[in-house]
Amino acid sequence: MSTIETGTLHTVMARVARFVTRRPWPVVAAWLVLATTVAALVAGFGRPTDEDATLPGSSAQHGRDLLEAHFTGSGNATGQVIFRGPVTTAALAGPAQRIDAVGHVSAVGRPVLGADGRTAYVDVTFDLGPRALTAALTGDVLAAAAAPGLEVLPAGALARPHTDTRRSEALGIVVALVVLVIAFGGLVAATLPLLTAALTLVCGVGAIGLAGHLTGIPTVATTLGTMIGLGVGIDYALFLITRYRALLSAGAEPTGAVVETVATSGSAVVFAGGTVIVALGGLTVAGVPILGTLGWTAGLVVLVAVGSATTLLPALLTLLGARLGRGRTGGRPSRWGRLADRVTGRPWRYALTSSVLLLTLAAPVVSMRLGQTDAGDDPAGTATRAGHDAMAQAFGPGVNGPLTVVAALDPAATGSTDPRLAELSAAVARTPGVTSSQPARLSPDGQVASVRVQPSTAPSDPATRDTVHRLDALTVAGVDVAVTGQTALRGALADRVGARMPSVVGLVVLLSALLMVVAFRAPVVAVKAALMNLLSVGAAYGVLTAVFQWGWGVRWTGLDGPVPIEAYVPMVLFALLFGLSMDYEVFLLTAVRESWLRTHDNRRSVRDGLAGTGLVITSAALIMVCVFASFVLSAAPVVKMMGLGLAVAIAVDATVIRGLLVPATMALLGRANWWRPPARLRRPAVSPRSPGVRP
């Protein structure tokens, strides 16, 4: 017997609702105190980010571990300060001395002059790791480097990625407010979802920022958390408010309506949020730390959104009472009702047409190649792009992605005259794809040798991965070598993601389908839901490939031309989209099942479910699409990819799939939708009442 049962979840949520309705002010106060505390901690201690890639078990990580174990300070942050103008060694002596005097700067390299005579750079090494390198410290270094007649640009660890999302957030909130006002017909009801979403962002995204003091959190994790927090925070509140107003219209008194709303639609929200979290949890099996981090950080925000929707929102509804307004009533068939009549009346036509459209959108995915972006892919005018281009033009494209070849020596070398060092240097220098290399360095204990290499191609160029593989295959004096550096690590990450993608997809699909079986006790419905979600994900992948890899309309996103699809983006999108798509599936099928249990007429049930939930699901999806699409305005290509991918998938899912394909296939399957093998379980796990429809 399943551990999740209708009565259990319904009873728990009803108890939560009764507790909240009896103590609305303490609940609101608790959320405000929590949000204020998190915001104060973030303001006081900041939210450090770490763009450093790690990949346990890879050759690149093995090489890095050898360096950190045998070369003191090799794991510390290193960046470059670029000078443009009339550069000479003498002219740069003063800036170099001032940089060296900045706190936490442990070493400043000798100026390296470009062949153009107008570009030079110095390496700056810090006595702390990349995670501890603050914006204030990088600002101090750049200020110290300033000199009359010279333009100063940052590179490496000093070039912090620009991920300001305030414009995207503001645009998403404005659009969401417009949609909510239209959907609810009133400003008070429209502002409640925005309020709960705002507190979700403060608490959830703030917690992610504070976690950066304990573990490495990439910048994209905070941005992704913001996107998801806005989307689900507004959506979950929208579903509950719609249900509450429908109950008021049916004559329920406000407190009872709140309890009924949380017990029914709140249960659906808990289940839907749990589905998203389970899908994100599937990222942990990839064996890629950044994916695991993105999974648990996004899952944390979803958890906070579910909590605010089922506790804070009911408290606010209790305080507002009937002043929130009532839902629309009336017997005239809705547009969604008329669409449902057409789809269920001609299911073959709509099933085939929508399938062809989805497969067409997904077609480009067969040519998708996973790679890695670099600063040269950032929009023109950003500091990261300016520094990257200056270095590439003066010193060659490979200067922005140096590699380090590492060899463990056994027996240990007794000095720099060991012939293995010369052999290693020579083997590396003659490897195709290597522009230049430095002489081999020997660790103080003589156990490890390293050679710094500049490839002939840019970090994002696929040819650079080929160079890494050739260097990795070297055997010098019977010793295997390992190639490390951020470029090598991210290339290895792309290889591993590609290899693990099938297992992650299979696990997420299986877990999501099992959850649907638990919810509806209908295996056919569960399998069909999983297949439909794969189609929406495929459509998103196809659009990503066409826009970013092929360059179709890529300039509309603010980029100069085609860019590689970052290796981990498709896997993160898959987990998120599968979970979010299941949200809409749960809300639609809950309404369909309600009608089925009442009438046992499959076609009527499908028609009633679509007619009853079409408006609320479309409104919720429109908000999500606008929120996600607004993040295409971000300067970071990875954020653009995630924003566009999520927006396309949700738009396709809420219109083509939920509006056409799901009802058409359910009409065709008839009573087979509700087939189930003989079992002791007979009750659905999720309340059969629709979250947005009056029973």
Side-chain angles (χ1 to χ4, degrees):
M1 185 173 183
S2 171
T3 57
I4 302 177
E5 296 186 27
T6 305
T8 302
L9 185 56
H10 188 284
T11 301
V12 169
M13 296 311 298
R15 288 175 179 172
V16 169
R18 283 191 287 270
F19 175 85
V20 171
T21 54
R22 286 194 294 265
R23 304 171 181 83
W25 282 114
V27 172
V28 173
W31 273 98
L32 291 177
V33 169
L34 176 61
T36 303
T37 302
V38 172
L41 290 173
V42 171
F45 298 99
R47 44 186 189 184
T49 57
D50 186 355
E51 310 304 325
D52 198 24
T54 60
L55 195 64
S58 66
S59 174
Q61 186 65 45
H62 174 62
R64 175 176 176 168
D65 293 342
L66 286 174
L67 287 177
E68 293 181 355
H70 297 274
F71 289 90
T72 303
S74 63
N76 291 343
T78 301
Q80 293 78 39
V81 175
I82 306 167
F83 299 91
R84 302 183 74 176
V87 293
T88 62
T89 301
L92 298 180
Q97 290 177 353
R98 292 194 297 272
I99 294 172
D100 196 35
V102 174
H104 295 293
V105 172
S106 60
V108 177
R110 291 187 302 176
V112 180
L113 305 181
D116 61 0
R118 295 191 55 81
T119 306
Y121 74 90
V122 294
D123 287 317
V124 181
T125 304
F126 297 87
D127 60 6
L128 37 76
R131 194 189 311 166
L133 190 60
T134 64
L137 180 53
T138 59
D140 291 342
V141 170
L142 296 177
L150 293 177
E151 179 186 7
V152 177
L153 297 171
L158 289 168
R160 305 179 66 85
H162 179 76
T163 55
D164 186 359
T165 61
R166 287 175 293 183
R167 182 173 56 164
S168 299
E169 295 168 27
L171 180 59
I173 289 172
V174 169
V175 174
L177 180 60
V178 172
V179 174
L180 290 169
V181 169
I182 295 173
F184 288 138
L187 189 59
V188 175
T191 55
L192 280 184
L194 299 180
L195 177 60
T196 58
L199 288 177
T200 295
L201 288 182
V202 173
C203 296
V205 178
I208 294 173
L210 294 174
H213 293 282
L214 304 176
T215 185
I217 303 290
T219 305
V220 70
T222 302
T223 306
L224 185 61
T226 302
M227 296 168 64
I228 299 304
L230 274 176
V232 301
I234 294 173
D235 271 14
Y236 292 164
L238 170 62
F239 287 126
L240 267 69
I241 293 173
T242 301
R243 173 66 172 167
Y244 173 71
R245 298 177 81 215
L247 289 170
L248 291 181
S249 296
E253 57 89 18
T255 300
V258 172
V259 174
E260 179 68 10
T261 295
V262 177
T264 54
S265 293
S267 297
V269 165
V270 169
F271 186 85
T275 304
V276 178
I277 293 172
V278 167
L280 290 168
L283 294 175
T284 59
V285 304
V288 179
I290 189 174
L291 289 177
T293 298
L294 294 178
W296 74 257
T297 51
L300 174 63
V301 175
V302 174
L303 183 63
V304 175
V306 171
S308 66
T310 54
T311 58
L312 173 62
L313 180 62
L316 295 173
L317 294 177
T318 302
L319 295 173
L320 289 171
R323 286 173 292 177
L324 195 64
R326 301 175 186 273
R328 297 185 178 93
T329 59
R332 190 175 62 177
S334 67
R335 293 180 181 177
W336 282 100
R338 291 192 292 272
L339 175 63
D341 289 334
R342 290 196 296 270
V343 173
T344 56
R346 299 178 179 84
W348 275 114
R349 175 187 298 180
Y350 286 95
L352 291 175
T353 302
S354 55
S355 296
V356 170
L357 175 60
L358 291 170
L359 291 175
T360 301
L361 289 174
V365 75
V366 297
S367 65
M368 177 186 283
R369 295 191 309 273
L370 302 182
Q372 57 176 302
T373 58
D374 58 32
D377 297 315
D378 290 349
T382 58
T384 50
R385 173 69 178 273
H388 176 280
D389 289 351
M391 291 283 282
Q393 292 166 8
F395 304 100
V399 72
N400 291 297
L403 306 171
T404 303
V405 179
V406 185
L409 304 178
D410 186 18
T414 57
S416 58
T417 58
D418 190 301
R420 289 174 294 178
L421 301 183
E423 186 177 347
L424 175 63
S425 297
V428 169
R430 63 173 176 262
T431 301
V434 173
T435 294
S436 63
S437 61
Q438 299 175 357
R441 292 191 307 148
L442 185 65
S443 63
D445 58 12
Q447 296 181 13
V448 174
S450 70
V451 178
R452 187 175 176 86
V453 174
Q454 179 178 324
S456 58
T457 49
S460 62
D461 193 324
T464 304
R465 288 171 69 180
D466 296 335
T467 302
V468 171
H469 292 154
R470 285 191 290 268
L471 290 170
D472 225 6
L474 291 178
T475 300
V476 180
V479 177
D480 292 333
V481 304
V483 184
T484 190
Q486 286 299 300
T487 300
L489 279 164
R490 294 177 67 188
L493 184 149
D495 293 338
R496 181 171 295 184
V497 168
R500 301 285 176 86
M501 188 78 171
S503 61
V504 173
V505 170
L507 178 63
V508 171
V509 171
L510 177 61
L511 291 177
S512 300
L514 289 176
L515 284 174
M516 293 296 289
V517 172
V518 169
F520 298 102
R521 302 291 189 265
V524 173
V525 167
V527 172
K528 179 180 61 61
L531 294 176
M532 299 296 179
N533 291 347
L534 285 175
L535 286 174
S536 65
V537 173
Y541 283 1
V543 172
L544 280 183
T545 303
V547 172
F548 292 102
Q549 185 174 306
W550 294 357
W552 290 8
V554 72
R555 294 185 183 277
W556 292 353
T557 70
L559 299 178
D560 296 338
V563 299
I565 295 177
E566 191 71 36
Y568 62 82
V569 167
M571 194 176 287
V572 173
L573 285 180
F574 177 82
L576 275 173
L577 293 174
F578 218 83
L580 294 175
S581 296
M582 281 295 185
D583 281 3
Y584 296 137
E585 187 78 3
V586 166
F587 291 125
L588 173 60
L589 292 182
T590 298
V592 174
R593 186 173 178 82
E594 172 198 1
S595 181
W596 167 255
L597 292 176
R598 186 177 63 250
T599 66
H600 286 279
D601 182 332
N602 180 74
R603 181 161 293 188
R604 178 180 173 184
S605 300
V606 175
R607 188 265 178 208
D608 290 347
L610 180 58
T613 62
L615 178 60
V616 67
I617 288 179
T618 303
S619 299
L622 180 58
I623 291 171
M624 269 206 184
V625 168
C626 293
V627 168
F628 293 150
S630 67
F631 280 82
V632 176
L633 299 175
S634 169
V638 170
V639 176
K640 293 178 183 291
M641 293 177 194
M642 289 189 174
L644 182 62
L646 288 168
V648 168
I650 295 300
V652 168
D653 190 84
T655 55
V656 180
I657 292 181
R658 306 300 155 210
L660 301 176
L661 190 56
V662 168
T665 54
M666 291 191 75
L668 290 171
L669 288 170
R671 298 180 67 89
N673 286 301
W674 312 109
W675 171 87
R676 50 182 170 172
R680 293 164 56 196
L681 299 176
R682 291 299 180 189
R683 295 181 299 170
V686 174
S687 171
R689 299 177 182 174
S690 170
V693 184
R694 188 162 49 106

